[in-house]
Amino acid sequence: MKQLKERIEDHIVNISDFTATPGKGTTRLTYSPEDLQTRNYIKEKMKEYGLKVREDGFGNIFGKLEGILKDAPSVMVGSHFDSVPNGGAFDGPAGVVAALEVAALFGKNNVTPKYPLEVVALVEEEGSRFGGGLMGSRGMVGLLSDEDFRSLTDKDGITTEEAMVKIGLDPTLVRRRDPKTMKAFLELHIEQGPILEEKKIPIGVVEAIVGLTQLEVTVEGQAGHAGTTPMDRRADALVTAAKIVSQLPGLADEEGERTVVTVGRFNVFPNGANVIPDKVVFSVDIRSGKEANVLNVIEKTKSLISSFNENGIKTCVEELLYIQPKELNQGIRSLLKEKSEELQIPYCSINSGAGHDAMVFSDYTDVGMLFIPSKNGLSHCPEEWSDSKDIAKAVQIFYETAKNLTEAE
Ligand code: GLV
Ligand code: MN
Ligand code: MN
């Protein structure tokens, strides 16, 4: 059998081939042909590693190693396998690959757990196709109703269920998972920032994850001819949206305490060079480690936007996602540190500025998370890279931690 680091590298390279934008990073939208290719790869590896494979009604994938105890809650290990547009090969898959290799070590070392071990690969964490984000984990724990799931559409108006059926998934499968069936959730993720690399430390034990929200803003005006409509007779949705966007960074600066605001998606309609835009839809992502900061900036953003409701302009703000900052489980944090020490792997504590499925599960089960360094602190871009050596270190720590949590012999 190949060495752990080589196996990890192979998985990452193989999965990175499943992109809609070859040569321009990873673009793996949920329920796309690339999702199907990745899903088949993950399921194949799960089977090869002796796991019992199951999918749920969202298309989340589970690979279970049964324990001695019947109907006992599982220690879950995993992450997501979708990507942002033109993203990297590690955000998400690094955690899925690590989970696969933790399970492989149970098999290789003939370890029998008392509680089951489950490798989990989640859909639509990024929200790149259906908006919001954290869809697979929120759906699983019941934070997304069936009705809300069904009503989500992508930019072409395709619904979640239509998209699932198109790649052969079954939306009628069970969706909810009783929290009683979860004993713990462990997630490895790339840091997506510069701290671990600067400190030259291979492992970050995550203490807390930022609170975040995603708003969808619609500005509507009146379409018209670019040449014949005098400047003082226009209700230009794009000019108004631009004024709003230009004031948002100031709201984050005013709030301070590392509050951040980003407009990353911006669509203009009808998008013709000689047509006055009648509609603009854009996202506003607001984050901070302190919930009060997020709430303040949401309020200020909403009142800024509504102040433009005049002269033929109509605005509307929809909250697609809201999630409070989360502190991760104290017991698991200690266990991860203890195992790192035993393995003589250097670590430090770290906070997460990115959102993760781990934060959803943390209200339902005991959650622990590890970060590994990101080269040049880059993520959500094709240059995203992490060292498989570091993923292998995290696998060793998770393997020891999972043995403890599953009470393996
Ligand atoms: C996920 O990458 C997020 O933090 O939005
Ligand atoms: Mn991401
Ligand atoms: Mn991620």
Side-chain angles (χ1 to χ4, degrees):
M1 204 174 185
K2 280 191 180 178
Q3 289 306 300
L4 180 57
K5 176 185 170 291
E6 278 69 49
R7 290 206 305 277
I8 289 168
E9 222 149 55
D10 286 352
H11 291 315
I12 295 282
V13 168
N14 291 337
I15 292 176
S16 73
D17 270 350
F18 307 137
T19 172
T21 52
K24 293 189 176 140
T26 299
T27 303
R28 186 179 306 119
L29 298 187
T30 301
Y31 314 143
S32 65
E34 297 73 35
D35 169 318
L36 181 60
Q37 288 173 309
T38 310
R39 165 183 305 281
N40 286 340
Y41 180 88
I42 293 168
K43 283 159 63 179
E44 206 45 54
K45 290 294 156 192
M46 284 176 166
K47 285 181 201 151
E48 199 179 306
Y49 293 173
L51 308 176
K52 200 168 81 199
V53 180
R54 169 178 85 82
E55 283 163 322
D56 68 10
F58 297 109
N60 293 317
I61 315 168
F62 306 87
K64 190 170 183 181
L65 176 68
E66 284 295 350
I68 294 167
L69 298 175
K70 286 295 146 235
D71 299 322
S74 297
V75 173
M76 307 188 302
V77 192
S79 193
H80 63 98
F81 64 99
D82 63 315
S83 82
V84 295
N86 304 95
F90 294 82
D91 176 1
V96 174
V97 162
L100 281 169
E101 288 306 316
V102 169
L105 286 176
F106 270 73
K108 180 169 166 250
N109 298 326
N110 264 321
V111 172
T112 313
K114 213 165 186 181
Y115 290 86
L117 178 82
E118 260 184 86
V119 175
V120 181
L122 297 158
V123 298
E124 192 68 356
E125 188 270 350
E126 303 285 5
S128 299
R129 181 158 186 189
F130 296 104
L134 305 167
M135 188 182 87
S137 50
R138 286 193 300 131
M140 241 172 94
V141 297
L143 291 178
L144 179 69
S145 70
D146 280 351
E147 201 186 338
D148 285 346
F149 174 68
R150 263 188 227 116
S151 67
L152 292 172
T153 53
D154 69 6
K155 66 175 182 15
D156 300 317
I158 299 170
T159 68
T160 43
E161 293 195 338
E162 285 165 353
M164 282 182 81
V165 170
K166 194 142 183 241
I167 63 161
L169 293 174
D170 182 356
T172 68
L173 291 173
V174 167
R175 293 216 173 110
R176 296 292 159 266
R177 179 156 180 163
D178 188 336
K180 286 198 205 90
T181 66
M182 310 176 196
K183 189 165 188 290
F185 177 70
L186 303 175
E187 181 170 7
L188 162 83
H189 206 279
I190 56 169
E191 181 203 328
Q192 312 183 273
I195 296 170
L196 293 173
E197 186 181 57
E198 275 170 15
K199 288 188 169 174
K200 298 193 169 48
I201 297 180
I203 293 290
V205 176
V206 179
E207 306 282 325
I209 305 179
V210 285
L212 62 100
T213 195
Q214 200 185 104
L215 308 177
E216 184 170 89
V217 181
T218 306
V219 179
E220 285 179 289
Q222 175 62 54
H225 196 290
T228 58
T229 317
M231 294 309 287
D232 62 353
R233 308 266 182 91
R234 297 181 181 209
D236 185 324
L238 177 53
V239 170
T240 306
K243 286 182 188 161
I244 295 170
V245 172
S246 69
Q247 291 185 50
L248 292 177
L251 299 185
D253 289 342
E254 207 176 284
E255 197 63 28
E257 301 189 284
R258 295 205 188 179
T259 308
V260 287
V261 176
T262 307
V263 174
R265 185 159 41 79
F266 196 94
N267 295 111
V268 182
F269 303 92
N271 214 17
N274 56 356
V275 187
I276 298 165
D278 68 344
K279 186 161 102 167
V280 172
V281 181
F282 62 95
S283 59
V284 183
D285 179 307
I286 305 166
R287 304 180 188 214
S288 171
K290 273 201 197 159
E291 185 172 26
N293 296 142
V294 178
L295 292 172
N296 285 341
V297 177
I298 292 175
E299 266 329 291
K300 287 181 185 170
T301 299
K302 284 182 176 168
S303 91
L304 168 71
I305 291 167
S306 66
S307 74
F308 284 92
N309 278 329
E310 54 184 10
N311 304 327
I313 294 289
K314 225 173 70 199
T315 65
C316 152
V317 180
E318 199 186 339
E319 196 168 284
L320 299 187
L321 180 69
Y322 180 81
I323 184 152
Q324 294 172 312
K326 295 288 160 72
E327 193 184 325
L328 300 187
N329 182 268
Q330 172 72 57
I332 299 205
R333 269 152 49 197
S334 303
L335 194 57
L336 292 169
K337 291 173 187 174
E338 185 188 310
K339 296 301 173 195
S340 307
E341 273 159 32
E342 282 171 19
L343 291 160
Q344 298 186 317
I345 298 171
Y347 69 89
C348 65
S349 292
I350 193 163
N351 287 326
S352 175
H356 298 290
D357 294 302
M359 68 196 300
V360 174
F361 291 128
S362 71
D363 284 336
Y364 300 87
T365 189
D366 295 346
V367 169
M369 203 169 181
L370 290 181
F371 278 177
I372 51 160
S374 290
K375 188 176 176 196
N376 298 326
L378 290 173
S379 180
H380 282 186
C381 56
E383 294 82 3
E384 179 183 279
W385 188 83
S386 288
D387 197 327
S388 296
K389 265 201 311 235
D390 295 333
I391 303 180
K393 290 190 175 91
V395 168
Q396 286 176 285
I397 299 167
F398 271 175
Y399 172 59
E400 295 301 330
T401 304
K403 275 200 298 189
N404 184 300
L405 294 170
T406 58
E407 297 179 24
E409 316 265 296

